Amino acid sequence: TGRVVGVIKRGWREYCGSLRPLDDFRKVGSSAMVTTERYFIPADPRIPYIIIKTRHSHQLDNKRIVVAIDSWDRFSRYPRGHWVSILGDTGDKATESAVILKEHGVITRDFSEAVLKCLPPADFQITEEEIARRLDLRNILVCSIDPPGCKDIDDALSVEHLPNGNYRIGVHIADVTHYVK
């Protein structure tokens, strides 16, 4: 057996999720400045509930929020934290997409003007000549296999069920040289 003798660096990050319904809460403080203790339920079920104190309890209901852990008393079952931001309404497609992206560490900040100038125009079409030079796989379902946190999403796999009962496994590596100046 072993025992923890010290923690050099905690692996805490910001977590996305929502607040548990109001039947489980505690009000703390005077009526003028009432703070409510609420349980935050992370989107990742491997993360324990996080207790947050807030004066904005009702504004956070039915919202997807971002919470950071502040402390975790060694005698407590749950860590304590604070809410950082509101992502949007629970169930909204754009909000739920933002939760997935943030939970997996996908950087979503806007590109600089210099980068945007390198893009083809919005009405860009691949020429028939270019399509003829390449193997067109747009009718095959291809899924990325790049690991979380990678910066260049360019590796993928596909699986096709062939008429003879066999399967064809495709290994795809993006060729961006045609588009890089």
Side-chain angles (χ1 to χ4, degrees):
T1 63
R3 66 184 179 100
V4 176
V5 295
V7 177
I8 296 170
K9 180 183 177 194
R10 299 201 183 276
W12 294 344
R13 60 175 177 82
E14 293 181 344
Y15 301 97
C16 299
S18 53
L19 295 181
R20 187 183 231 179
L22 266 176
D23 56 324
D24 287 331
F25 76 99
R26 287 179 284 197
K27 288 186 178 177
V28 180
S30 67
S31 60
M33 294 294 280
V34 174
T35 60
T36 307
E37 280 192 349
R38 300 281 301 268
Y39 286 104
F40 169 78
I41 305 169
D44 184 344
R46 298 171 298 178
I47 307 300
Y49 289 3
I50 300 168
I51 299 170
I52 67 166
K53 279 185 183 178
T54 181
R55 291 188 307 260
H56 305 280
S57 180
H58 290 290
Q59 294 173 4
L60 302 177
D61 282 334
N62 301 312
K63 301 286 185 191
R64 287 294 198 174
I65 63 173
V66 178
V67 165
I69 294 176
D70 298 322
S71 64
W72 195 340
D73 184 275
R74 66 182 180 156
F75 299 110
S76 174
R77 185 173 178 186
Y78 303 113
R80 293 191 167 269
H82 66 278
W83 68 277
V84 176
S85 63
I86 299 173
L87 296 175
D89 294 329
T90 302
D92 176 67
K93 193 181 295 186
T95 300
E96 299 301 333
S97 295
V99 167
I100 292 168
L101 293 171
K102 186 154 186 67
E103 279 293 307
H104 291 91
V106 177
I107 299 168
T108 58
R109 67 179 171 265
D110 292 336
F111 291 104
S112 68
E113 276 301 314
V115 170
L116 292 174
K117 286 181 182 177
C118 295
L119 292 175
D123 61 348
F124 172 78
Q125 294 287 321
I126 300 171
T127 65
E128 290 300 322
E129 179 183 280
E130 188 61 31
I131 291 173
R133 286 181 355 112
R134 298 171 179 260
L135 178 60
D136 188 354
L137 301 174
R138 291 177 290 178
N139 62 332
I140 297 172
L141 180 61
V142 179
C143 299
S144 172
I145 58 168
D146 288 302
C150 79
K151 304 296 182 211
D152 58 335
I153 301 174
D154 59 354
D155 302 318
L157 288 177
S158 64
V159 177
E160 294 176 86
H161 189 248
L162 302 175
N164 66 1
N166 291 340
Y167 289 90
R168 176 185 299 150
I169 307 296
V171 178
H172 308 270
I173 300 171
D175 173 18
V176 297
T177 58
H178 177 75
Y179 299 99
V180 176
K181 293 178 184 179

